[in-house]
Amino acid sequence: MGFKWQSLGRFLLLLSGFRGWMEALGIGRPPVPLLRPGKTRPVTQNQEQVDRRTGRLLGGRTDGRTDGQLAQTRLQEQVPWTDGRTDGRMDEEPGDASRPRGDAPHPSPGQGRRRQGKKKKKKERRKEKKKERKTKPPQGQTRRGKDKRHTYGDVEQLSSRAARVFSQRLGLQPGQTVAVFLPNEPTYVWTWLALAKLGCAMACLNYNVRGQALLHALAAARATFVLASTELQDALEEVLPDLQRDGVKVFYLSSTSPTPGVEALLPAIETASDEPLPGHYRAGITASSKAIYIYTSGTTGATCVLRAKFSASQFWDDCRRYNVTVIQYVGELMRYLCNTPKRDNDQKHGVRLAVGNGLRAEVWKEFLQRFGPISIWEFYGATEGNAGFINYTGKIGAVGRANAFLKSFAPFELIKYNVEQDEPIRDERGFCIRVRPGETGLLVIKITKNTPFYGYAGDSKKTEKKILRDVLVKGDAFFNSGDLLMMDHEKFVYFQDRVGDTFRWKGENVATTEVEATLAMVNFIREVNVYGVSVPGCEGKCGMAAIRLKPGMSFEGENLYAFTRETLPSYAAPRFVRIQEALEITGTFKQCKGNLVREGFDPDIIKDPLFFRDEKTKSYVPMNADIYAAIQEAKPIWGLIRHFCFLWGSL
């Protein structure tokens, strides 16, 4: 979908107020370079960087300043920016990833420069800095296994050089779309900034995508150029004939090209001028111009540490090494951190704030107990959405809190939804019905000038499908989030489930997230994924749980039965259990349910251990072909009449 500069403005507005939003977008002042090399001064606890000419706060916030001040920070300071990639692995247990190579940990910006200032005179420092610029290798290259540090000034210069090459060598014009096919590395950022300086939209391609899916992503964004990494050579060459046939030009952002017919641009970038680009390149760019295409599945002013792949066992070591104060999480990432073996230094770190989404309440509590009093800002939003929430109060489980300002700027409603019919419930007049506090409802956000919905690139039908019309009055239009949320009496908002994940059984809606949160408390369960499966002869869907056991633990059918009977309504207790070595997740650490739903509970298809909830023995018993056949034929077997009465009657 198309992400516009105005969308970023809406988010900043909710956090920071109009002034921070206007300044962050640069509205009301002439076009300027996105980054400007400047002098660096130490920033330590309770200090801030201030422009000597204007007296404005420039960044480096490490204390508890307001978000309005944070939004006004600019990228015009040379604050170190680190590529923290080491082994490039994703793991959950220590020992899977090799220790980062290199010498002692890098000092913080303030501490390091103070120590240098005591040893060297200003003149000597200037000399060394000048010499370093001449001799250091191009910083657009990332070396695997070695730390690489970049300043914002470095990135400003690299992006200016790249922008010139993109303009003069590739002939890029404002408004064109360029697809970027790169792994997690600093090159990604200066490429993005270079395209922004030219007024070009960037299509962010998932580097795990291959074949037809990759071609579809390029076609959807109507990209005419692809900038790629040689690390993705095989994936690129697989679709290269199709791209060349369609007139899409492909380039590598490397020193040499391993692919005939694909030029390497880095030599030209290294020799290009690094002077700021003239403002006329962006003269036609406004707040509503497209900036980025982000493919839904499904952040400035400080040091940024990047790692190619997430490593749970090395995470806190990285935070200590690079003096990290703010972390970003998504999906199940926080659970993986909690699943690592405990250490004596779990609370010895400088992290004060965690920002992200998808954190379950039970993991939230465990995370705070283990890793200390870290402020957690859980937010809700969608890439294509026109509004969102953020919980800055620390209320466990909430994604935000409604207030008069938010409702006036971004009018939203929670409306009654029919899960079986997959549509909102309407009254006799044909309008949707608001839910009461404490009730779950579909989140819809009114489409207005302040909260526009731009839709999906190249898919007008899908765009129209996400719009609900005549919601409260004739002629209105709302964005259908596809998410079920609940607002309590204090106006705290809680995410409940995706519309497609919630299922209906015995006339009741079952929220998979609520069942998962309950089952996660079982002592032998490490991870759980709940979903609904179809049962012949029954309306709705029956609950099933895929479980990953804790190391050294075994499945206890009787204990699980007793636990679910005490903690869950009868209609919400899973009827089937599947034991897996690992649960499938997306690239953003969200659990996948699609394959599980399709495979159902057929023991001929599933090789994992399967269990069935047996009301007669009050336990989860091993699933076999006879039980499966009886369920398919809707008849009892081996005398378990009451067993199937439970399935079709007493549920």
Side-chain angles (χ1 to χ4, degrees):
M1 48 71 61
F3 180 90
K4 304 194 178 186
W5 293 108
Q6 190 172 355
S7 300
L8 176 61
R10 290 199 305 276
F11 181 71
L12 290 173
L13 174 61
L14 293 178
L15 288 179
S16 315
F18 285 92
R19 184 178 177 186
W21 175 54
M22 299 289 278
E23 290 199 6
L25 289 178
I27 297 174
R29 64 173 188 263
V32 295
L34 292 180
L35 298 168
R36 238 180 231 170
K39 294 184 179 179
T40 305
R41 283 172 289 123
V43 181
T44 56
Q45 188 71 22
N46 297 324
Q47 286 185 315
E48 60 196 27
Q49 288 182 323
V50 180
D51 189 312
R52 291 180 179 175
R53 293 183 297 103
T54 65
R56 287 186 179 179
L57 177 70
L58 290 177
R61 186 189 80 158
T62 58
D63 56 359
R65 295 194 169 275
T66 66
D67 296 293
Q69 291 169 313
L70 178 60
Q72 295 176 32
T73 59
R74 296 186 183 179
L75 303 181
Q76 299 173 0
E77 287 286 297
Q78 287 186 322
V79 183
W81 173 35
T82 305
D83 171 22
R85 173 167 59 191
T86 53
D87 58 357
R89 298 186 185 183
M90 170 182 169
D91 64 272
E92 295 184 37
E93 306 296 341
D96 290 347
S98 58
R99 295 285 299 176
R101 286 184 251 171
D103 298 324
H106 295 294
S108 67
Q111 293 170 335
R113 292 191 180 95
R114 276 200 299 276
R115 287 197 291 269
Q116 292 174 6
K118 292 177 181 178
K119 296 178 181 178
K120 301 175 183 178
K121 295 179 181 179
K122 288 183 179 179
K123 193 172 182 181
E124 292 173 346
R125 288 205 308 271
R126 290 195 194 102
K127 264 186 185 178
E128 288 195 5
K129 197 171 182 182
K130 188 174 182 181
K131 184 179 178 182
E132 185 185 341
R133 284 200 196 103
K134 292 181 180 178
T135 58
K136 65 183 177 183
Q139 295 189 12
Q141 294 175 303
T142 301
R143 297 174 180 173
R144 290 190 175 278
K146 293 185 179 180
D147 296 333
K148 193 71 177 176
R149 291 172 63 87
H150 301 268
T151 66
Y152 282 120
D154 296 335
V155 178
E156 157 65 10
Q157 293 171 351
L158 280 166
S159 60
S160 292
R161 290 172 181 166
R164 279 191 166 79
V165 172
F166 296 163
S167 174
Q168 298 169 7
R169 203 178 189 96
L170 277 61
L172 286 183
Q173 299 294 323
Q176 285 186 288
T177 299
V178 179
V180 176
F181 195 39
L182 300 171
N184 290 348
E185 59 184 26
T187 305
Y188 207 114
V189 179
W190 58 254
T191 300
W192 175 14
L193 295 176
L195 295 172
K197 290 181 177 184
L198 297 175
C200 295
M202 180 176 76
C204 310
L205 298 178
N206 184 335
Y207 62 83
N208 293 306
V209 173
R210 299 291 184 270
Q212 289 300 317
L214 179 57
L215 291 172
H216 171 75
L218 288 165
R222 299 178 182 176
T224 52
F225 292 87
V226 176
L227 302 176
S229 167
T230 53
E231 295 179 25
L232 303 170
Q233 175 188 354
D234 293 341
L236 187 66
E237 290 180 351
E238 181 184 356
V239 298
L240 187 59
D242 297 280
L243 298 179
Q244 292 173 335
R245 182 197 62 206
D246 296 337
V248 178
K249 299 178 181 178
V250 182
F251 299 88
Y252 282 125
L253 294 177
S254 58
S255 299
T256 59
S257 171
T259 305
V262 178
E263 183 183 355
L265 294 178
L266 191 56
I269 292 173
E270 291 173 353
T271 58
S273 169
D274 61 9
E275 290 297 313
L277 265 69
H280 68 78
Y281 280 97
R282 294 171 49 81
I285 302 302
T286 67
S288 60
S289 298
K290 285 186 174 63
I292 313 172
Y293 286 98
I294 302 175
Y295 297 88
T296 61
S297 49
T299 78
T300 45
T303 303
C304 177
V305 182
L306 299 178
R307 188 184 181 101
K309 292 184 179 180
F310 170 69
S311 170
S313 66
Q314 297 293 313
F315 183 85
W316 292 109
D317 290 335
D318 287 341
C319 289
R320 283 184 279 269
R321 183 176 190 186
Y322 298 110
N323 304 300
V324 172
T325 58
V326 180
I327 61 175
Q328 184 179 2
Y329 65 88
V330 64
E332 295 290 285
L333 186 148
M334 301 288 253
R335 184 190 296 277
Y336 296 146
L337 295 179
C338 291
N339 284 344
T340 58
K342 293 184 178 180
R343 299 180 182 178
D344 293 336
N345 63 348
D346 276 345
Q347 296 194 15
K348 294 179 180 178
H349 55 76
V351 176
R352 58 177 178 78
L353 175 65
V355 182
N357 68 331
L359 180 58
R360 301 172 191 247
E362 73 277 7
V363 179
W364 192 325
K365 296 174 186 176
E366 183 181 354
F367 182 85
L368 292 178
Q369 290 171 356
R370 177 170 171 184
F371 299 111
I374 299 172
S375 296
I376 295 180
W377 286 21
E378 171 84 359
F379 68 84
Y380 167 86
T383 306
E384 72 273 37
N386 55 345
F389 307 99
I390 186 165
N391 173 13
Y392 52 85
T393 66
K395 178 79 169 181
I396 292 179
V399 298
R401 193 176 192 180
N403 54 61
F405 170 74
L406 180 61
K407 288 279 285 186
S408 62
F409 176 75
F412 71 91
E413 301 291 343
L414 298 181
I415 60 175
K416 292 187 176 182
Y417 192 79
N418 187 319
V419 174
E420 284 185 306
Q421 298 295 325
D422 194 22
E423 62 183 14
I425 298 174
R426 296 180 180 264
D427 60 19
E428 64 280 358
R429 300 174 300 165
F431 298 133
C432 296
I433 306 168
R434 294 184 177 97
V435 299
R436 293 174 295 184
E439 293 182 342
T440 297
L442 175 70
L443 172 67
V444 294
I445 304 109
K446 192 171 185 179
I447 300 173
T448 67
K449 183 179 180 181
N450 288 332
T451 54
F453 170 55
Y454 296 109
Y456 303 94
D459 197 335
S460 58
K461 290 184 178 179
K462 188 176 181 182
T463 297
E464 183 59 31
K465 192 176 179 181
K466 292 292 286 186
I467 300 175
L468 282 178
R469 303 188 184 277
D470 302 333
V471 174
L472 299 179
V473 296
K474 195 72 175 175
D476 66 12
F478 281 70
F479 169 73
N480 179 358
S481 70
D483 291 327
L484 300 173
L485 279 71
M486 183 270 289
M487 186 189 301
D488 65 16
H489 291 274
E490 296 180 314
K491 296 192 180 298
F492 281 103
V493 181
Y494 301 82
F495 175 82
Q496 299 295 96
D497 217 346
R498 290 286 300 167
V499 164
D501 294 340
T502 290
F503 58 90
R504 192 168 178 83
W505 183 250
K506 223 162 133 67
E508 299 285 350
N509 292 337
V510 181
T512 60
T513 53
E514 292 182 359
V515 180
E516 288 164 354
T518 301
L519 295 180
M521 295 186 287
V522 177
N523 64 344
F524 58 81
I525 294 179
R526 183 165 189 171
E527 292 180 72
V528 59
N529 190 355
V530 174
Y531 49 99
V533 293
S534 298
V535 176
C538 299
E539 294 183 1
K541 290 188 175 182
C542 184
M544 186 167 179
I547 290 174
R548 182 187 177 194
L549 300 175
K550 289 182 178 178
M553 303 289 282
S554 59
F555 180 74
E556 302 172 10
E558 290 185 13
N559 289 344
L560 182 61
Y561 178 93
F563 176 83
T564 54
R565 189 170 186 176
E566 293 175 1
T567 58
L568 289 171
S570 61
Y571 61 82
R575 307 301 157 185
F576 305 98
V577 172
R578 176 177 180 175
I579 309 298
Q580 292 189 295
E581 291 292 327
L583 301 187
E584 183 185 1
I585 59 172
T586 68
T588 53
F589 302 102
K590 296 176 182 177
Q591 292 180 334
C592 299
K593 300 181 188 287
N595 289 334
L596 295 172
V597 172
R598 282 189 289 273
E599 292 173 355
F601 50 94
D602 186 349
D604 291 333
I605 296 177
I606 300 169
K607 303 309 176 186
D608 299 323
L610 290 174
F611 295 87
F612 178 64
R613 184 182 176 91
D614 185 353
E615 295 294 324
K616 182 179 180 181
T617 62
K618 301 190 183 312
S619 178
Y620 282 87
V621 299
M623 183 81 169
N624 57 41
D626 291 335
I627 296 178
Y628 179 76
I631 295 174
Q632 293 296 99
E633 297 171 11
K635 67 180 183 181
I637 60 169
W638 45 284
L640 294 182
I641 297 177
R642 272 183 281 176
H643 181 104
F644 286 95
C645 286
F646 121 79
L647 186 59
W648 278 274
S650 64
L651 267 171

